Amino acid sequence: MNKNLYKYLLGIADNSLILGQRLGELCGHGPSLETDIACTNMSLDLLGQVRSYYQYAAKIAGDGRTEDDIAMLRKEREYFNVLLVEQPNTDFGYTMARQFLFDVYHFLMLTELEKSTDLNLSAIAKKSIKEVSYHKRFSSDWIKRLGDGTEESHKRIQTAINDLWTYTDELFHQTEADKAMVAEGVGVDVTKLKGAYYEEVNAVLEEATLSVPESKYFQKGGKQGIHTEHMGYLLADLQYMQRAYPNMEW
Amino acid sequence: MSKNWPLWEVFVRSKNGLEHRHCGSLHAADAEMALENARDVYTRRSEGVSIWVVESKHITASNPENNGEMFEPAQDKVYRHPTFYDLPDEVKHM
Amino acid sequence: MSEEQIKNLEAQFEARIARDEKIEPKDWMPEKYRKTHIRQMSQHAHSEIVGMLPEGNWITRAPSLRRKVALLAKVQDEAGHGLYLYSATETLGVSREEMYEQLHKGKAKYSSIFNYPTITWADMGAIGWLVDGAAIINQVPLCNTSYGPYARAMIRVCKEESFHQRQGYEIMLKLCNGTPEQKEMAQDALNRWWWPSLMMLGPTDAESIHTEQSMKWKLKRKSNDDLRQQFIDQTVPQADILGLTIPDSDLKWNEERQSYDFGEINWDEFWQVVKGHGPMNKVRMKARVDAWENGKWVRDAAMAHAEKKQERKEKLAM
């Protein structure tokens, strides 16, 4: 199997899986029924993308493993999502800040991925990009509402942005698999997205009357499988059934 | 301060060529949010290609108490309908 | 209005309903009609959103991606159905916030089945199969109820809900065709959900208030006991297909009645749960209250932002 392609796929898909899982936690607990429904829609979009990626990855692996084996039966070290997406739903401010900081990246990445020479990847990107375009609009609107809303909301969303900012730089790091895939014309060179990303993020923050965090200290590790303390608990939930009742069909 | 999100009425065009139809209502703080919420609530199963939202308070409705004067006078104006006119059977579709 | 005038209006009103005419929000209606509808419709809406919680409990732990997205979509539908029903109730002059307040203060009821815990994955199957099955029996006749907005909301709800019961039954089927451990899990879920599902169709006719009036207004088409019998008769053969045993030793086919006879329902348990002392009443209510209170700053922010935007727009126009 093409190990680099397999790993590259997981890198992309794991982000959607973990973020989709996080959003799924909120279902039934949103600040309004309308917002609850909207967040579930985003979760469903992301999990739909995940299934396409993993099904493709399973095919590449070619050893009988399924999308669920890939989704639910890896060790923590074998998940390659960025640290940003595993951060908890501390409050609606954190949820929207996490979403927004990821959506802007996700959209830029998919726009490039659509040009991939790998037709499967290009097709998944083409479908996903419409979904993510909506996510970005939704989360940007909420950043503006919360930033330019009440004094309390301004404070809360600024705190969330400040706290999550430290995880943004990792979005633009390259793994060895990334580099190999870029060289083949399959993967996206994420290092080239950085400029456009911060430009767009900063513009929204400015419109939201929020300040752009100045910290130059960033966290990384997710892409190498070294996660934050939150990840283990998230996986405990995600994998519970598959671990407790191995080798069964559901 | 605690104002509740106002109520909006949602109209959805199910496909081009058809009119927008009222399909329900929802709450939203402003028009943009109303549109987004309408998309998420009322078109989850591809029910639409176009959405209108209007804040409920902007709708002026006729009063059912006036239904007599409003609508009954139209009932005896049968000459507005094609069946009022007698034509010989030989004239088929007209 | 004089008493006689009101009586006259009421007689006309009842005649309209008897002719199968729909009542619309701005039409004159007896105060009792309005109040009864607010009570039943809001109770129905509350049941939808409280009903999200027991199933929501398994979203993060669904055993496969396919099951996860299907469950998410189902719980989301319940939010949608709550929303349709709250909106329909609002046409009677009560706000969603007022209805929430009633719920949060324990003044409004919701279906007490949601006060039972979901402790295994099989509960997702049992709820879909039994609870949604019982709900459909209750809801389908409401598509033709006399109050227009309620009937329209119910048409939408029933249309969307058709996949819910199938989803639940499919989960059960998969478990029953799986390993012995899985089948045991399915049987255990049936054991725990069977009686609460029967109770869900309401107290026996002898103890049910409101029924006669509700029949006239088409809020109800059949009595609780009839609905219960219908539910049992349709569900027993489904359990047979699964190879599961209904946990009722008195259950047997009655050739003469062409229906199943069944055992005594523990009504003490029913009233205990209705009165707020079921296993999960407090937990469910806390989840709803927390969501509402933790969301307050968000809702306020959106309103404040909308007002600021409006002001800026007006300033620009000047």
Side-chain angles (χ1 to χ4, degrees):
Chain A
M1 92 173 168
N2 183 338
K3 275 198 176 144
N4 280 328
L5 177 57
Y6 183 77
K7 218 176 149 191
Y8 183 70
L9 279 172
L10 296 191
I12 296 174
D14 289 352
N15 284 336
S16 293
L17 174 71
I18 302 302
L19 188 55
Q21 174 81 357
R22 277 287 185 229
L23 287 168
E25 292 170 11
L26 288 173
C27 185
H29 306 277
S32 76
L33 270 180
E34 287 82 355
T35 327
D36 204 306
I37 292 171
C39 288
T40 306
N41 265 351
M42 292 197 287
S43 179
L44 283 169
D45 286 342
L46 291 166
L47 293 172
Q49 296 164 16
V50 168
R51 295 188 68 192
S52 307
Y53 289 123
Y54 286 165
Q55 282 163 11
Y56 182 33
K59 213 164 90 188
I60 293 169
D63 56 3
R65 76 183 84 172
T66 66
E67 57 172 30
D68 291 323
D69 295 338
I70 300 176
M72 300 179 178
L73 288 174
R74 278 178 284 156
K75 299 264 163 58
E76 180 171 329
R77 280 289 172 102
E78 295 158 352
Y79 284 84
F80 304 117
N81 57 282
V82 291
L83 301 179
L84 174 66
V85 293
E86 70 199 46
Q87 299 310 304
N89 298 309
T90 308
D91 67 15
F92 190 73
Y94 279 82
T95 299
M96 279 304 113
R98 182 186 65 206
Q99 193 65 37
F100 166 66
L101 293 173
F102 183 71
D103 289 343
V104 174
Y105 159 81
H106 201 187
F107 184 81
L108 291 169
M109 191 278 289
L110 288 171
T111 309
E112 292 305 309
L113 192 64
E114 200 185 335
K115 301 172 195 157
S116 171
T117 54
D118 182 307
L119 294 180
N120 285 308
L121 264 181
S122 163
I124 299 173
K126 193 173 174 188
K127 179 182 163 286
S128 308
I129 206 165
K130 291 176 191 147
E131 297 169 343
V132 171
S133 168
Y134 184 80
H135 300 178
K136 189 172 75 160
R137 178 172 139 186
F138 182 86
S139 60
S140 307
D141 281 354
W142 270 108
I143 296 295
K144 291 174 207 163
R145 281 189 198 108
L146 297 177
D148 191 19
T150 63
E151 208 176 303
E152 183 187 3
S153 70
H154 180 88
K155 222 161 76 189
R156 279 180 182 253
I157 191 66
Q158 183 72 62
T159 308
I161 292 281
N162 292 350
D163 282 358
L164 295 176
W165 195 256
T166 190
Y167 301 112
T168 52
D169 192 61
E170 189 191 11
L171 292 164
F172 310 102
H173 293 194
Q174 273 188 321
T175 63
E176 290 311 311
D178 288 353
K179 284 177 193 158
M181 284 301 102
V182 172
E184 282 184 36
V186 170
V188 175
D189 184 352
V190 287
T191 59
K192 289 189 179 147
L193 306 177
K194 197 167 169 175
Y197 174 83
Y198 283 109
E199 203 176 304
E200 195 174 339
V201 165
N202 295 357
V204 172
L205 293 182
E206 194 183 324
E207 205 188 326
T209 72
L210 294 166
S211 46
V212 176
E214 280 168 16
S215 169
K216 294 283 176 272
Y217 298 104
F218 295 101
Q219 299 298 321
K220 61 177 195 292
K223 287 187 174 181
Q224 279 71 42
I226 300 170
H227 293 278
T228 56
E229 288 183 354
H230 305 295
M231 187 68 170
Y233 295 98
L234 184 147
L235 291 181
D237 268 0
L238 179 72
Q239 303 188 339
Y240 169 65
M241 289 298 291
Q242 292 278 347
R243 296 288 184 199
Y245 306 93
N247 304 316
M248 296 184 201
E249 281 186 35
W250 302 95
Chain B
M1 184 218 71
S2 201
K3 270 200 204 156
N4 296 319
W5 292 359
L7 193 66
W8 297 71
E9 300 302 322
V10 180
F11 301 81
V12 171
R13 184 202 294 286
S14 57
K15 63 178 188 188
N16 275 5
L18 297 178
E19 68 277 60
H20 286 78
R21 279 185 70 174
H22 183 243
C23 67
S25 43
L26 48 74
H27 290 258
D30 54 43
E32 286 76 20
M33 195 201 280
L35 264 184
E36 289 173 9
N37 291 348
R39 177 260 194 195
D40 286 321
V41 173
Y42 288 105
T43 65
R44 300 200 299 287
R45 290 177 167 82
S46 331
E47 291 98 333
V49 296
S50 163
I51 300 175
W52 290 346
V53 289
V54 58
E55 208 179 321
S56 309
K57 70 175 185 197
H58 294 311
I59 290 181
T60 311
S62 65
N63 187 336
E65 277 171 32
N66 303 331
N67 274 10
E69 63 192 67
M70 290 283 280
F71 307 114
E72 278 171 31
Q75 283 169 9
D76 67 350
K77 312 293 191 293
V78 284
Y79 42 78
R80 290 200 172 102
H81 299 280
T83 46
F84 177 74
Y85 301 95
D86 291 328
L87 293 184
D89 289 346
E90 298 93 277
V91 187
K92 285 172 189 158
H93 317 283
M94 183 181 279
Chain C
M1 250 186 290
S2 75
E3 219 169 285
E4 197 178 336
Q5 276 174 312
I6 291 181
K7 266 212 171 117
N8 198 12
L9 278 172
E10 278 179 7
Q12 282 177 25
F13 180 84
E14 299 295 347
R16 285 182 65 193
I17 293 182
R19 283 197 303 270
D20 255 337
E21 271 183 46
K22 295 275 184 252
I23 306 302
E24 292 297 341
K26 295 187 79 167
D27 292 350
W28 184 88
M29 61 184 78
E31 199 45 32
K32 193 164 171 226
Y33 181 89
R34 183 191 305 276
K35 284 209 170 118
T36 306
H37 276 77
I38 290 178
R39 199 191 59 237
Q40 176 167 333
M41 291 165 70
S42 62
Q43 197 170 312
H44 196 160
H46 297 327
S47 299
E48 294 284 353
I49 58 157
V50 178
M52 296 171 75
L53 300 169
E55 289 175 285
N57 184 34
W58 279 88
I59 288 171
T60 59
R61 291 178 295 168
S64 70
L65 291 175
R66 179 176 180 269
R67 291 287 176 214
K68 193 188 285 285
V69 291
L71 183 62
L72 257 173
K74 183 193 172 188
V75 181
Q76 182 193 44
D77 270 352
E78 281 156 11
H81 299 168
L83 194 155
Y84 306 156
L85 288 162
Y86 282 124
S87 302
T89 318
E90 283 185 80
T91 61
L92 290 165
V94 55
S95 70
R96 193 193 292 178
E97 290 73 20
E98 287 171 284
M99 290 185 263
Y100 274 170
E101 203 178 285
Q102 295 254 312
L103 174 69
H104 297 163
K105 289 197 169 146
K107 286 185 190 155
K109 290 205 180 75
Y110 56 88
S111 188
S112 52
I113 191 113
F114 302 122
N115 292 317
Y116 289 87
T118 52
I119 53 181
T120 73
W121 169 251
D123 291 5
M124 298 304 98
I127 290 183
W129 173 35
L130 303 172
V131 177
D132 288 299
I136 290 168
I137 285 186
N138 250 332
Q139 288 176 349
V140 167
L142 286 173
C143 294
N144 203 19
T145 190
S146 67
Y147 188 54
Y150 194 19
R152 288 192 288 276
M154 287 317 299
I155 288 172
R156 192 170 268 275
V157 168
C158 287
K159 210 159 91 187
E160 296 187 351
E161 206 139 276
S162 54
F163 92 78
H164 295 180
Q165 200 192 6
R166 291 173 68 101
Q167 178 183 143
Y169 196 71
E170 194 198 67
I171 290 174
M172 293 304 267
L173 204 58
K174 201 83 184 172
L175 292 172
C176 291
N177 292 332
T179 63
E181 200 179 8
Q182 282 175 302
K183 184 148 187 195
E184 200 177 305
M185 194 190 276
Q187 180 66 54
D188 165 70
L190 172 59
N191 293 349
R192 285 180 290 108
W193 290 94
W194 174 253
W195 292 104
S197 300
L198 297 190
M199 295 177 199
M200 191 184 156
L201 293 154
T204 52
D205 296 347
E207 291 204 47
S208 175
I209 35 174
H210 321 303
T211 297
E212 198 186 327
Q213 181 75 84
S214 298
M215 294 267 191
K216 240 199 302 184
W217 288 340
K218 301 181 172 137
L219 272 171
K220 230 177 159 36
R221 312 307 287 261
K222 283 183 182 176
S223 75
N224 292 348
D225 287 336
D226 287 348
L227 292 171
R228 195 162 11 247
Q229 187 69 60
Q230 183 188 338
F231 173 72
I232 292 169
D233 289 348
Q234 80 176 40
T235 308
V236 175
Q238 293 164 354
D240 290 342
I241 294 173
L242 293 172
L244 295 178
T245 312
I246 305 271
D248 177 358
S249 53
D250 294 324
L251 186 87
K252 63 169 184 291
W253 179 250
N254 182 325
E255 193 58 38
E256 196 181 317
R257 287 200 307 125
Q258 287 293 300
S259 257
Y260 283 92
D261 292 336
F262 55 97
E264 188 70 29
I265 291 171
N266 180 354
W267 290 111
D268 288 345
E269 177 184 322
F270 174 77
W271 291 113
Q272 178 180 335
V273 180
V274 169
K275 285 177 184 152
H277 306 287
M280 298 296 280
N281 296 56
K282 291 197 174 67
V283 180
R284 300 286 183 247
M285 208 35 58
K286 183 174 185 306
R288 285 314 315 160
V289 171
D290 284 352
W292 186 242
E293 284 177 357
N294 294 338
K296 184 176 183 301
W297 71 273
V298 177
R299 297 189 303 274
D300 286 349
M303 251 351 261
H305 179 74
E307 277 163 14
K308 281 186 196 172
K309 233 174 24 181
Q310 186 63 27
E311 270 167 36
R312 281 192 288 250
K313 213 160 128 190
E314 276 160 17
K315 233 180 233 165
L316 266 178
M318 281 198 317

